[in-house]
Amino acid sequence: MRKLSRQTKRDLVAYSFIAPNFIGFCVFTLIPIIFAFALAFMKWDGSNPIQWAGISNFTRLWKDTFFIAAFKNTIIYCIGTVPLTMIASLALAILLNQKVIGRGIFRTLSFFPYVASLVAITAVWKMLFHPSKGPVNNILLNVFNVPQDQLPQWFTGGLVLFSMILFSVWKYMGYYMVIYLAGLQGISSELYEAASLDGANTWQKFRYVTWPQLSSTTFFVVVMLTINCFKVYDIAIMLAGGGSGELTTSATVLVYYIYQKAFIDWDLGYSSSVAMVLFLMVLFVTIIQFRGQAKREKA
C-alpha cells in the first residue's frame, strides 16, 4: 500500500479539525436553509404529504393584509431604528471618548441596557410608559396639561412602532457606542493636530477627520443594525404582545408572522415563502450597502 505523502497527511489533519464544525453547519444550518427554499414552493402542514404549490404561496402574499402590515412595519422599524441608533451611539462615543469625570461609570451605564435581561428592561420600560400609572404620562398630564383622554397609548395603535424604535435605540446604542469608541481610539491624534494648525473648528474636525476615518466602522454598524432590525421579534412580543403574546397589525413584524404561520397555523410552505421574502430583503439591502461602501473607498 502506497504511503501517504506528508502534504496529504497535513491536509487530512486539517480536514479532521474542520469536519466537526462543517458537519454541524451542514446538518443544522445548510440543509434546513435548502429545505426552506424548496418548501416555499410546496404546501405542507407537517403531518400530511408534501404537495407541489408552485408560486401560489408567493402570489398569496400580496393578498394577505397581515403580511402587508408586517412588511410595512418591518420597513418602518428599520428606517427609524438604524439612523437613530447610529447617531445616538456615535454621539455617545464621541462624548465618552473625552476626558470627563466618571467616564468609566458612564460607559458602563450606557452599555448596561444591552447586556441586561430583555424581560427585565421591557418591564421597566412598560412601567415608565404605562398609560395611567407611568411617570411619562403623569408628566404630560400634570406639567404639560395634556387632557386625560388624550394621553398617548404607547403600546397600542399608531404609537407602538414609535415605542419599539425608541426602546431599540436605548437598548442597542451602548453596544454600538463601544464599536465607535474602538474606531475613535484608532484615529491618529496627528490628524487633529494638523487640522488645528489649519484653523479647523470642532465641527470641521468631525466632518473632515473623524467622520471619514470612521467610514469602515460606520459601514459595519449600519450593516449589522439593518440585519438585526429585519430580524426583530423579541422586542415586538415583549412590548406589544400583551398577556397573550399576540401582535395586532399595528405591531406585527415579519419574523413574528413567520413564527405564527409555521408553528401556530402549521402552514409551513406559506411561512417559508414569507421567510424567503425576508431573506431577499436583507440580501438586497446588504448588497446595496456593500456596493456603496466599495464606491466610497474607490472615490
Side-chain angles (χ1 to χ4, degrees), residues 32-139:
I33 288 174
I34 295 172
F35 183 66
F37 270 101
L39 197 59
F41 300 93
M42 307 291 180
K43 185 178 180 181
W44 190 38
D45 60 2
S47 56
N48 294 314
I50 299 176
Q51 298 177 357
W52 174 255
I55 62 171
S56 61
N57 285 332
F58 293 96
T59 55
R60 176 183 164 190
L61 289 174
W62 309 109
K63 300 175 184 178
D64 186 345
T65 54
F66 211 86
F67 166 78
I68 293 174
F71 184 86
K72 289 181 179 178
N73 291 341
T74 303
I75 296 294
I76 293 170
Y77 174 80
C78 289
I79 292 174
T81 303
V82 172
L84 287 177
T85 305
M86 186 187 72
I87 292 170
S89 57
L90 177 57
L92 201 58
I94 292 174
L95 179 64
L96 296 181
N97 195 44
Q98 310 298 320
K99 294 181 179 179
V100 295
I101 299 174
R103 181 173 60 177
I105 297 174
F106 287 116
R107 287 180 179 179
T108 303
L109 291 175
S110 300
F111 191 71
F112 178 77
Y114 178 76
V115 297
S117 167
L118 179 64
V119 176
I121 59 176
T122 49
V124 172
W125 192 269
K126 293 184 79 169
M127 289 174 62
L128 290 173
F129 289 88
H130 192 277
S132 58
K133 302 176 183 178
V136 174
N137 275 13
N138 280 331
I139 291 173

Side-chain angles (χ1 to χ4, degrees), residues 16-37:
S16 68
F17 280 103
I18 296 172
N21 187 55
F22 181 72
I23 292 171
F25 169 76
C26 289
V27 172
F28 297 107
T29 303
L30 183 60
I31 293 175
I33 288 174
I34 295 172
F35 183 66
F37 270 101

